[in-house]
Amino acid sequence: MTASSLHPGALTPAQIEALDERLLAECMKVRFFPLVVQRQQGNRIWDVDGKEYLDFTSGWSVAAVGYGHPKVVEAVARQFRETSFATTLSALNEPSVRLAERLVGLAPGDFQKKVWYGLSGSDACETLGKMVPLATGRPKLISFIGGYHGMTGTAAALTGHTATARLPASGNVVKIPYPDPYRPVFSASPEAIGQAVLDYLEGYLFKTIVPPELVGGIIVEAVQADSGDVVPPPGFLKGLEAICRRHGILLLLDEVKIGMGRTGRWFGFEHEGVTPDLIALGKALGGGIPLSAVVGRKEILDAYTAVNMYSTAGNPVACAAALATLEVIEADGLVQRAADLGRYLLDALKELQSRHPLIGHVRGQGCILGVELVRDRATKEPAARETAKTVYRCFENGLLLFYGGLYSNVLEFTPPLTLSHADVDEGIDKLDRALSDVEAGRFPDERLGKYLGW
Ligand SMILES: Cc1ncc(COP(=O)(O)O)c(C=O)c1O
């Protein structure tokens, strides 16, 4: 093991790992392999031993424009020199209003909009959960099983993921199934699952224990990411919007993970042509600098003064990073590129499916894709351990992939949108070899050690 060559006196990987284990809290981790990052550029990451990795994660969908993009680096450095910190809570600054202007311009809807700033996807969803009941006087919210909206109080209450199953729930949040065509509930067919969920909501829940006049909003992801990158059947989101309109309920779109171009449109919900009342943004928005936002109806975000604020939210450096990120997405045509690249990646993954029995289902929209691993294609028994092993083997092969899913068995593909076709070919080859090793039993159980993910 060598110490970092960039920093004299740097710790060795073993020292970093030991300190991390001793000092960093487990409740903030979801680790799949022992990667010690030293350097990043574009869609590549180097560890402290100088080994190069191709990144298919964007660090949970944050680095959409790649790592260390010169325009973002320059914008951050310039802004930090000018204003190392200025609080948007109690003073005005130019980047925060310029960014708000851009975000309001991107969001659809012929109504007056405003922007709220925070630091994480969790606090953006927290804002929806806090402000909607407060402003509408309707106490209840509806969210989806499998939906991931964050880990802070209200956001965790909205989340329907196994990761929050142990946390206290909120009595005012009612969770309903998300229409997963691969694992449909209600004995529905893959084609009928969207309508079946809508019928359950409007024809049963609203008529029994959830009077719609008490529901302030419904929060939904256009592609349900952390439950396994589930793409709902066409028409589902449109049907949900119609229900919201019939009952005066606000439609809340969580675009934290898929927004800013990843699906091949600026926002994932644009594929269905719906108009959300409020949109939560984060991750890719800040180009790597923590920043989140809610864009939407003025009357909700303006309902009260000083009830939802964070000292460092919307600071000029983060807003300058976001402005530069938006500029890069636009100038480099990354929205269209996400669509093209996503199709290419989807085809390559489907080809792998034809050769690897472990792959039960391949799905995606643009550059958010999921590959669900099963022990048996007929019973669809989730292959969770095999998923962990595949991801670890990919890491050994020089490819970074994470996994998620309600059953911890879905390989997730959220690469930087700057990837080339050659990068995709390279990554697919590494994944192909990893799957072959796991299927052939060439990756022993003990090798995983503590790297069991989630
Ligand atoms: C759809 C969605 N919403 C919200 C969040 C929470 O974001 P953060 O981890 O930045 O708090 C996530 C995180 O994965 C997410 O995928």
Side-chain angles (χ1 to χ4, degrees):
M1 294 280 183
T2 57
S4 155
S5 57
L6 289 186
H7 308 288
L11 302 172
T12 65
Q15 287 171 322
I16 295 170
E17 201 176 345
L19 284 171
D20 178 282
E21 183 155 343
R22 185 153 63 80
L23 297 173
L24 298 197
E26 281 303 310
C27 65
M28 63 169 277
K29 296 177 186 169
V30 49
R31 300 277 173 81
F32 304 102
F33 34 68
L35 172 67
V36 185
V37 177
Q38 185 188 61
R39 194 162 65 80
Q40 304 163 311
Q41 192 59 51
N43 48 48
R44 304 279 159 166
I45 293 177
W46 287 266
D47 70 13
V48 276
D49 290 324
K51 181 175 171 184
E52 180 178 321
Y53 300 86
L54 171 60
D55 180 40
F56 273 12
T57 72
S58 303
W60 291 115
S61 194
V62 172
V65 300
Y67 298 97
H69 195 291
K71 286 188 182 154
V72 181
V73 171
E74 172 54 28
V76 169
R78 189 174 354 105
Q79 192 62 49
F80 196 76
R81 268 196 302 271
E82 240 173 60
T83 57
S84 66
F85 181 70
T87 176
T88 307
L89 271 49
S90 306
L92 291 68
N93 67 75
E94 185 174 337
S96 68
V97 293
R98 274 195 186 278
L99 178 62
E101 208 169 24
R102 288 284 281 119
L103 295 177
V104 164
L106 281 174
D110 193 15
F111 47 82
Q112 241 190 316
K113 299 183 203 84
K114 275 201 161 179
V115 173
W116 170 96
Y117 288 126
L119 301 161
S120 69
S122 299
D123 64 21
C125 293
E126 186 86 19
T127 295
L128 301 179
K130 186 190 275 179
M131 293 310 294
V132 167
L134 209 54
T136 61
R138 293 174 167 211
K140 287 183 185 291
L141 296 163
I142 290 172
S143 67
F144 287 84
I145 295 168
Y148 188 96
H149 304 295
M151 284 285 177
T152 54
T154 308
L158 290 167
T159 294
H161 198 272
T162 36
T164 53
R166 287 187 176 79
L167 301 177
S170 160
N172 276 343
V173 178
V174 179
K175 297 189 176 90
I176 63 174
Y178 193 79
D180 178 352
Y182 184 62
R183 295 183 185 276
V185 291
F186 303 134
S187 306
S189 68
E191 299 74 35
I193 182 59
Q195 193 55 49
V197 168
L198 297 175
D199 291 345
Y200 170 72
L201 174 63
E202 196 174 30
Y204 182 58
L205 268 190
F206 281 180
K207 294 199 161 79
T208 54
I209 60 164
V210 188
E213 64 274 14
L214 294 187
V215 179
I218 300 180
I219 184 165
V220 65
E221 293 167 79
V223 174
Q224 201 179 58
D226 287 352
S227 67
D229 309 298
V230 176
V231 184
F236 170 70
L237 216 50
K238 202 74 190 155
L240 191 66
E241 181 185 46
I243 290 177
C244 285
R245 300 298 167 240
R246 275 198 288 281
H247 299 280
I249 295 169
L250 297 174
L251 180 62
L252 318 172
L253 259 295
D254 180 350
E255 290 274 328
V256 167
K257 190 154 176 180
I258 66 170
M260 316 318 294
R262 179 158 295 285
T263 66
R265 302 272 179 93
W266 272 102
F267 302 114
F269 60 77
E270 287 181 71
H271 293 274
E272 286 261 311
V274 302
T275 304
D277 296 291
L278 295 143
I279 305 165
L281 296 170
K283 295 205 187 237
L285 177 65
I289 302 285
L291 178 67
S292 63
V294 173
V295 189
R297 288 193 179 272
K298 167 183 156 56
E299 65 273 22
I300 305 296
L301 299 176
D302 270 355
Y304 295 90
T305 297
V307 296
N308 193 40
M309 53 187 179
Y310 304 91
S311 304
T312 53
N315 69 76
V317 175
C319 291
L323 283 164
T325 300
L326 287 167
E327 227 177 275
V328 171
I329 293 173
E330 219 157 48
D332 294 357
L334 294 186
V335 180
Q336 186 54 46
R337 188 160 170 161
D340 299 342
L341 192 75
R343 263 191 299 274
Y344 188 72
L345 187 49
L346 188 71
D347 287 346
L349 293 171
K350 286 195 166 152
E351 196 280 322
L352 282 188
Q353 185 182 20
S354 70
R355 291 187 287 109
H356 289 286
L358 253 184
I359 300 183
H361 197 227
V362 175
R363 56 202 175 227
Q365 191 163 58
C367 277
I368 173 131
L369 303 104
V371 168
E372 182 152 356
L373 301 190
V374 292
R375 298 210 170 113
D376 178 327
R377 283 187 181 171
T379 63
K380 300 180 183 174
E381 184 194 347
R385 186 159 280 264
E386 293 84 344
T387 308
K389 288 179 177 183
T390 303
V391 159
Y392 199 108
R393 178 63 103 204
C394 282
F395 162 72
E396 291 176 329
N397 290 348
L399 172 69
L400 302 182
L401 262 186
F402 295 156
Y403 67 86
L406 278 176
Y407 308 100
S408 298
N409 68 325
V410 183
L411 303 172
E412 177 171 274
F413 299 76
T414 53
L417 309 181
T418 52
L419 226 54
S420 68
H421 284 193
D423 293 327
V424 172
D425 295 344
E426 179 188 330
I428 289 291
D429 174 60
K430 291 175 195 290
L431 172 61
D432 191 6
R433 286 187 281 120
L435 284 165
S436 296
D437 284 348
V438 172
E439 282 169 342
R442 289 193 290 269
F443 191 103
D445 273 3
E446 316 79 72
R447 182 90 153 266
L448 272 181
K450 63 180 180 182
Y451 292 101
L452 287 171
W454 54 339

